[in-house]
Amino acid sequence: MKPRVAVIGAGWAGLAAAVELAPHVRLTVFEAGRTPGGRARRVRDAEHTIDNGQHILLGAYQTCWRLMRQVGADQASALLRLPLTWVQADGLRMRCPRWPAPWHLLAGLLSARGLSWRDKGRLIFALGRLSLARWQVAGDPTVAEWLDAARQDAVLKETFWRPLVLAALNTPPEQASMRMLAAVLRDSLGAARAASDMLLPRRDLSALFPEPAVAWLAAQGGMFHFGHRVTSVEPVANGVLVDGEAFDAAIVACAPYHAARLLPAAIVPPIVKKLSFLPIYTVYLRFARPPRLPEPMIGLRRGTADWLFDRDALCGEAGMLAAVISAPQPGALPEGDAALIAAVLADARRIVADLPEPAWTRVVVERRATFAATPGLTRPGVRLGVQSLFLAGDWVEGEYPATLEGAVQSGVAAAHALMQDMTHTER
C-alpha cells in the first residue's frame, strides 16, 4: 500500500507539494477556503469575480512552468509573454529586444527614455559589476546601502530601483535584502534572454494553476476537503494525526501564523513567530467602457499606485482596471476606501485623461501579503526535526522572496524531503 499523506493548505506551495507526491502516495489535501490558490486566487463579491492581488511571473520561474505543464495548464493562452518591458507614464520607458542575453538588456537600457546618458552609464556599470561578481554581494546589506556604494543617484533610485525592489520583494529598498534581490536578478537578468520575459496572467489566478492542479490531482486519486480548517497537527510514533485522523506523513503548507497555531509549540521553529509582514493593496475600478491604457501594465513614478493593469485588455474583464500599491509606509495612503479610490482614479486619469467615473470599485487588502525580505533573515527549513512532518510556503527557507516561484519551490522541496525520509525508513 502507498503511504497516506496529508497536505494542509491548497495554496501554490501545498498544491506543488501535492503534484510532486501524487504518483507515490495516497493523498488528502485540506483547505480552509472554498477556492484553491491561497494568497494568489480568485475571490468573488456580489457583482464581480476578481483576483485577491496582481502577480507578474518571469520566464525564470522554471518550477512554476514545469508544474503547469505537468497538470495540463495551457501557458500559451493563460499568459501574455512580453520581452522585458519597463514603462512608467511619467518616468522610465524601456523595452528590451528579443536579442540574446546580455545584449537584449544593454540595448534596452541604451535606448531607454527617461534617463540621462550619465544615469544609463551608472546603471549599466552597477549591473555589470554585479554580473561579474556572479550576482553575489559581500555580507547582506540593504538594497539602499548597496545602491549608495554603487553610486546610484536619486533619479536612478526613484525611477528604476525602488519600483523594481517593491515589485520583486514587496519591501522598501531601505529595508530590503540586497542578497535576495541579487538572486532574483541572477535568474532573470543574468540568465538567458527568455528568463527575463514578463508573463502577465490572462486568466484569474485560480484558473492559472490551482484549478488545473486540483483537477489533475483528483484524476490521480487525490482527495480534497475544501472549507475544512484543520485545528491540530500532531506527530505520533507511526506518523501524524491531522485533527485526530492518522496519516503516515503530513506537509503543513499554510501561512506561518497559521502553522504556529496548528503545530505543537515545542516543534515550531522560533523564527516562525518572529517573521514580520508587509501589505499589498489592490484597487479595482470598472468603467462603462474599456479603460484603454497605453500598455497592459504601466507604472507611475509619482503616484499613489505603483502599477496599473488593463484587465479588460489582458483578461477580457469588461472595463476593468486594477491598481497595485506595494508595501506602503504607515500613513502614506489616504484614509478610507473612498479616499484611496479617488487617489487611484486621479492616477489613472494622468494616463487616460477622459476616464469617466467608475461604475464599480473595490479595495482588496492583503495585510500580510509577504514576509519582509530584510537582511540577515533566517527562515525555517522544510524539516521540522520530527519524523514525518514538513513545512512548505513562500516563507520557508530559499533564495527567493515571497513569490509564486518561491512558493512552488518550497512545495517541491518539502515533497522531496518527505519521500527521501520515507525511503530511508523503509530501508
Side-chain angles (χ1 to χ4, degrees), residues 25-347:
V25 305
R26 290 176 292 155
L27 191 68
T28 302
V29 180
F30 297 91
E31 168 55 43
R34 300 287 180 181
T35 305
R39 282 170 287 124
R41 71 186 190 284
R42 176 175 61 237
V43 296
R44 291 187 176 92
D45 72 1
E47 297 184 59
H48 294 283
T49 297
I50 54 178
D51 287 331
N52 68 330
Q54 303 298 300
H55 285 266
I56 308 166
L57 292 86
L58 297 177
Y61 287 3
Q62 292 302 313
T63 314
C64 279
W65 310 137
R66 177 177 69 80
L67 293 174
M68 289 178 72
R69 287 192 298 270
Q70 187 169 341
V71 301
D74 185 355
Q75 296 177 40
S77 64
L79 295 154
L80 174 64
R81 190 175 193 116
L82 300 170
L84 180 60
T85 303
W86 191 272
V87 178
Q88 295 171 320
D90 56 352
L92 176 63
R93 293 171 175 258
M94 181 182 76
R95 301 177 192 276
C96 294
R98 296 184 184 275
W99 294 0
W103 308 112
H104 72 306
L105 179 60
L106 182 62
L109 289 171
L110 290 174
S111 62
R113 301 177 186 177
L115 290 179
S116 68
W117 283 104
R118 178 187 178 93
D119 281 339
K120 289 178 183 180
R122 285 180 170 177
L123 183 53
I124 291 169
F125 184 71
L127 290 171
R129 287 191 65 182
L130 194 57
S131 175
L132 289 173
R134 298 183 180 273
W135 308 94
Q136 301 290 319
V137 293
D140 191 7
T142 66
V143 173
E145 290 168 342
W146 185 88
L147 294 178
D148 286 340
R151 302 180 64 188
Q152 304 294 281
D153 66 15
V155 172
L156 280 173
K157 291 176 182 177
E158 180 183 1
T159 303
F160 180 81
W161 288 104
R162 180 171 291 274
L164 173 66
V165 176
L166 288 174
L169 275 63
N170 192 46
T171 306
E174 297 78 15
Q175 304 170 30
S177 162
M178 185 61 203
R179 177 181 54 79
M180 209 174 297
L181 178 64
V184 176
L185 296 178
R186 177 199 65 207
D187 291 349
S188 53
L189 302 185
R193 193 274 310 162
S196 67
D197 284 353
M198 299 166 50
L199 293 100
L200 306 182
R202 306 195 73 159
R203 298 178 182 170
D204 67 68
L205 293 173
S206 292
L208 192 62
F209 169 69
E211 288 181 341
V214 169
W216 183 87
L217 286 164
Q220 307 299 309
M223 296 181 61
F224 285 84
H225 297 292
F226 288 103
H228 182 128
R229 185 176 295 278
V230 172
T231 59
S232 69
V233 179
E234 182 182 358
V236 292
N238 296 315
V240 179
L241 296 180
V242 178
D243 283 350
E245 184 178 356
F247 291 88
D248 295 295
I251 294 176
V252 177
C254 52
Y257 33 89
H258 294 317
R261 289 198 296 266
L262 281 178
L263 297 165
I267 67 170
V268 176
I271 188 60
V272 171
K273 297 181 180 180
K274 296 179 181 179
L275 292 171
S276 58
F277 303 91
L278 293 168
I280 296 178
Y281 287 66
T282 306
V283 179
Y284 286 94
L285 309 175
R286 188 181 68 80
F287 301 93
R289 59 175 174 80
R292 294 195 176 90
L293 298 184
E295 304 284 340
M297 170 186 166
I298 188 166
L300 284 169
R301 177 181 174 184
R302 298 185 182 92
T304 299
D306 297 313
W307 297 97
L308 292 91
F309 294 79
D310 189 338
R311 291 185 66 94
D312 189 307
L314 281 169
C315 309
E317 296 175 357
M320 192 74 79
L321 181 152
V324 174
I325 306 163
S326 298
Q329 296 299 295
L333 296 183
E335 291 192 15
D337 285 0
L340 182 58
I341 288 165
V344 169
L345 179 59
D347 286 343

Side-chain angles (χ1 to χ4, degrees), residues 358-376:
W360 173 89
T361 61
R362 173 82 181 270
V363 177
V364 178
V365 185
E366 284 284 347
R367 298 199 179 277
R368 294 185 285 191
T370 67
F371 65 84
T374 53

Side-chain angles (χ1 to χ4, degrees), residues 380-403:
V382 297
R383 299 178 187 274
L384 275 167
V386 295
Q387 188 176 356
S388 305
L389 194 52
F390 305 85
L391 289 176
D394 59 12
W395 51 279
V396 172
E397 183 180 19
E399 289 188 299
Y400 272 42
T403 59

